[in-house]
Amino acid sequence: MGSDGCMDWTHEVNRGLWGSIWCDDGRCELTNVYNQKYSHISKADFWIASANAVIRQLSVDNELDLMNTFVWGREDADSCVGQGDRIPTGSGCREVQDILLDAMDLEWRDAAWRNGKGHPEFSGHDGYWMPTSADALVFDKQYYEEIVRRTWRPRNVGAKEEDFIASTEMTHDQPQLMLKTDMCFWYDTDVSYPCCSKRNNRCDFEDTYSTNQCSRYQRNDPEMEAVWSVVEYLGGPPFNTNNAPFYKGFARAWWKATTNGHDNLRALRDDCGWRE
């Protein structure tokens, strides 16, 4: 659901959205709210405003409030066929570079955040990005902590859905995953996959990949910008509750992503009263 108010429902990356988030048959609450109360504004503005509300509700103590940076005036596109091709599918670091950095003019520090769950019937990836389903409903910097602290091993090697799984699967009800595009913020997975983030007996229960450790970037590699962004968003020594650097960085990246390609956007007024 892009900032142009259009969705290519036929594209595979959007599987799972139709009929659950947005639909025309009265089953989708968000669609009903829009039709009943907000159809006087574009779907594009409504989708961004709705996302802002969800982000605030899921952030710790409602700290990440994007209302003051919200701008409106987006126009809905009539067609967006092929738009899904611009969404990273998780294949690796090159994909982040091509789509988010080169095409969208974002920086590495703008490009990574995850919440929720991967569904095998939609994306082919199974698991939460966080240790538990409850953790997955909190929008904070724990995503970066998990990349750094967990022992990750490759999964689905050789398949389209190659990813990483945490070696907690024997003790957790749900698998915990990272995509290759997630791990490349700390490891050079384009060079070393399939690999383990740590070489120890917890990495791979079959001992297949335990001796192949994921490569780290060299200091002069341009991808080191990704590593420094993770260090910044960790907010200090482990493990702390300082989400301020991440929230500040996310707000900047979100503004870029949701205003890109739109002209003449306007800020909200401070009040709704009449002005002479």
Side-chain angles (χ1 to χ4, degrees), residues 114-119 125-137 146 152 155 164-166 168 172-179 182:
R114 298 281 182 185
N115 260 68
K117 182 181 189 297
H119 293 267
H125 300 281
D126 182 23
Y128 291 93
W129 277 269
M130 297 296 115
T132 68
S133 57
D135 291 332
L137 293 177
E146 295 298 317
W152 299 97
R155 181 177 64 169
F164 286 85
I165 186 171
T168 55
H172 288 62
D173 293 336
Q174 297 286 342
Q176 184 181 358
L177 87 156
M178 287 286 171
L179 303 181
D182 299 315

Side-chain angles (χ1 to χ4, degrees), residues 13-267:
V13 301
N14 296 321
R15 287 182 298 177
L17 294 180
W18 179 259
S20 60
I21 301 297
W22 197 263
C23 56
D24 295 329
D25 58 8
R27 294 181 293 119
C28 300
E29 292 186 12
L30 189 64
T31 313
N32 294 339
V33 170
Y34 175 76
N35 290 334
Q36 294 167 10
K37 295 184 178 182
Y38 299 104
S39 58
H40 58 284
I41 66 175
S42 67
K43 291 197 297 290
D45 282 339
F46 178 74
W47 288 351
I48 300 303
S50 300
N52 287 354
V54 172
I55 290 167
R56 179 182 182 275
Q57 291 300 107
L58 296 184
S59 64
V60 178
D61 297 326
N62 301 145
E63 183 179 345
L64 186 52
D65 192 339
L66 300 170
M67 184 181 70
N68 291 333
T69 60
F70 177 76
V71 289
W72 62 279
R74 299 168 184 82
E75 296 182 3
D76 294 337
D78 295 327
S79 175
C80 49
V81 175
Q83 184 186 67
D85 295 334
R86 301 199 300 265
I87 299 177
T89 60
S91 65
C93 309
R94 184 71 248 175
E95 192 177 37
V96 176
Q97 178 73 48
D98 291 344
I99 297 177
L100 297 181
L101 278 63
D102 295 344
M104 294 186 64
D105 199 27
L106 297 176
E107 303 173 15
W108 277 102
R109 65 204 304 252
D110 301 330
W113 56 83
R114 298 281 182 185
N115 260 68
K117 182 181 189 297
H119 293 267
E121 65 269 32
F122 300 136
S123 67
H125 300 281
D126 182 23
Y128 291 93
W129 277 269
M130 297 296 115
T132 68
S133 57
D135 291 332
L137 293 177
V138 179
F139 193 63
D140 63 2
K141 66 184 178 67
Q142 186 179 354
Y143 164 80
Y144 301 97
E145 294 175 347
E146 295 298 317
I147 293 176
V148 174
R149 68 182 291 218
R150 293 285 177 198
T151 300
W152 299 97
R153 64 185 181 90
R155 181 177 64 169
N156 303 325
V157 176
K160 179 182 178 182
E161 300 81 10
E162 287 184 333
D163 57 17
F164 286 85
I165 186 171
S167 293
T168 55
E169 59 180 313
M170 302 298 286
T171 57
H172 288 62
D173 293 336
Q174 297 286 342
Q176 184 181 358
L177 87 156
M178 287 286 171
L179 303 181
K180 293 164 71 176
T181 44
D182 299 315
M183 294 292 285
C184 73
F185 278 77
W186 199 250
Y187 303 98
D188 190 353
T189 58
D190 282 358
V191 169
S192 53
Y193 190 89
C195 57
C196 289
S197 63
K198 297 179 176 65
R199 283 189 296 185
N200 55 39
N201 59 6
R202 294 178 298 151
C203 179
D204 182 75
F205 297 109
E206 293 79 28
D207 204 35
T208 305
Y209 304 108
S210 292
T211 59
N212 186 25
Q213 186 166 6
C214 297
S215 301
R216 299 296 303 276
Y217 297 111
Q218 301 299 310
R219 185 168 291 273
N220 60 345
D221 289 341
E223 291 84 1
M224 277 299 296
E225 181 185 343
V227 175
W228 295 127
S229 71
V230 173
V231 173
E232 176 186 354
Y233 294 155
L234 288 174
F239 291 98
N240 61 78
T241 59
N242 179 21
N243 285 297
F246 167 58
Y247 286 163
K248 180 179 179 180
F250 176 83
R252 179 189 60 251
W254 184 248
W255 189 87
K256 289 181 182 179
T258 58
T259 60
N260 188 23
H262 299 281
D263 298 320
N264 303 316
L265 297 179
R266 289 157 283 182

